[in-house]
């Protein structure tokens, strides 16, 4: 009889943490981004002193949860991102990009509120370069915005507060941003990569 009670209790506990279902969430995400490490042009490649950056995203994430509490999470996003480099003498270069992204991967729900996610992502858009010092910011008039591509991996934890959710993600990202120099009929490539940390605030339903 005792063994039957133990088995029944174990089954009840296991069933209680099974969370099959699906849902979605709007997420506002703000965090860091890697800086510019190199610029490549017709004259060769120059290494730069990377100076970090930031990322701002709005994402719509859809979630599907299986009976084992392991599921999928995926969705599109809109992003605004800046990668910077210290050029010396108080001057910094900022590559600013905007565009759309797609991310998707696995999620694991520890309980009704707490979940873990691991998601590869890719972002595509356009970007341009500007220089700034302590007093002014200059956007080059002889450059045109060109293609920007970024990709990487995000691993994070999320806590569901009911209608809302909060989360924190750690990631790694590589990026390649082009700029067309119209006066010289050439293209410059700004590249870099590194770790990022992103805070997420969302509304789930």
């Amino acid at each position: 009889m005792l063994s039957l009670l133990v088995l029944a209790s174990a089954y009840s506990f296991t069933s209680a943490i099974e969370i099959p279902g699906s849902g979605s969430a709007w997420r506002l995400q703000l965090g860091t981004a890697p800086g510019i490490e190199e610029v490549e042009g017709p004259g060769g490649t120059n290494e730069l002193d990377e100076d970090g950056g930031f990322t701002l995203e709005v994402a719509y994430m859809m979630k599907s949860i299986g009976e084992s509490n392991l599921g999928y999470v995926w969705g599109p996003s809109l992003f605004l991102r800046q990668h910077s480099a210290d050029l010396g003498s108080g001057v910094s270069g900022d590559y600013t990009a905007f565009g759309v992204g797609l991310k998707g991967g696995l999620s694991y729900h520890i309980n009704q509120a707490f979940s873990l996610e691991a998601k590869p992502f890719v972002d595509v858009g356009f970007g341009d370069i500007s220089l700034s010092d302590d007093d002014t910011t200059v956007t080059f008039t002889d450059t045109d915005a060109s293609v920007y591509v970024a990709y990487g991996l995000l691993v994070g934890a999320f806590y569901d507060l009911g209608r809302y959710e909060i989360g924190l993600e750690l990631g790694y990202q590589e990026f390649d941003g082009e700029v067309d120099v119209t006066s010289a009929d050439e293209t410059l490539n700004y590249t870099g990569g590194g770790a990022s940390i992103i805070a997420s605030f969302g509304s789930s339903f």
Side-chain angles (χ1 to χ4, degrees):
M1 177 66 69
L2 180 60
S3 61
L4 290 175
L5 289 174
V6 170
L7 288 174
S9 299
Y11 177 80
S12 298
F13 175 77
T14 303
S15 300
I17 62 173
E18 295 275 344
I19 318 168
S22 61
S24 55
W26 284 102
R27 292 176 179 173
L28 176 64
Q29 300 183 296
L30 177 64
T32 64
I36 304 170
E37 296 178 336
E38 293 182 343
V39 56
E40 180 181 358
T45 300
N46 293 319
E47 294 187 359
L48 302 177
D49 186 8
E50 69 90 16
D51 197 24
F54 73 85
T55 186
L56 175 64
E57 293 191 39
V58 177
Y60 179 70
M61 304 304 296
M62 294 163 281
K63 296 175 279 187
S64 176
I65 309 165
E67 292 185 354
S68 62
N69 297 347
L70 184 67
Y72 301 98
V73 56
W74 70 97
S77 65
L78 298 174
F79 70 87
L80 172 67
R81 189 171 296 134
Q82 187 174 91
H83 306 282
S84 301
D86 184 356
L87 305 180
S89 301
V91 179
S92 63
D94 302 311
Y95 186 95
T96 304
F98 65 93
V100 296
L102 182 65
K103 58 189 76 177
L106 298 176
S107 65
Y108 180 75
H109 288 251
I110 297 174
N111 54 37
Q112 291 282 357
F114 191 64
S115 62
L116 304 175
E117 296 180 3
K119 305 183 295 289
F121 70 90
V122 60
D123 296 329
V124 178
F126 295 93
D128 205 350
I129 192 76
S130 63
L131 298 181
S132 62
D133 58 22
D134 296 335
D135 301 315
T136 60
T137 299
V138 177
T139 300
F140 295 114
T141 58
D142 62 345
T143 64
D144 288 335
S146 192
V147 177
Y148 170 87
V149 177
Y151 57 90
L153 176 68
L154 293 169
V155 178
F158 292 84
Y159 191 82
D160 194 333
L161 301 171
R163 282 191 58 191
Y164 304 99
E165 67 170 28
I166 56 175
L168 187 66
E169 294 184 293
L170 302 177
Y172 183 85
Q173 175 193 133
E174 297 275 350
F175 71 90
D176 186 330
E178 295 183 356
V179 169
D180 292 328
V181 183
T182 55
S183 61
D185 192 25
E186 62 187 33
T187 299
L188 300 178
N189 286 78
Y190 295 87
T191 60
S196 62
I197 181 169
I198 299 174
S200 178
F201 308 91
S203 175
S204 57
F205 50 95

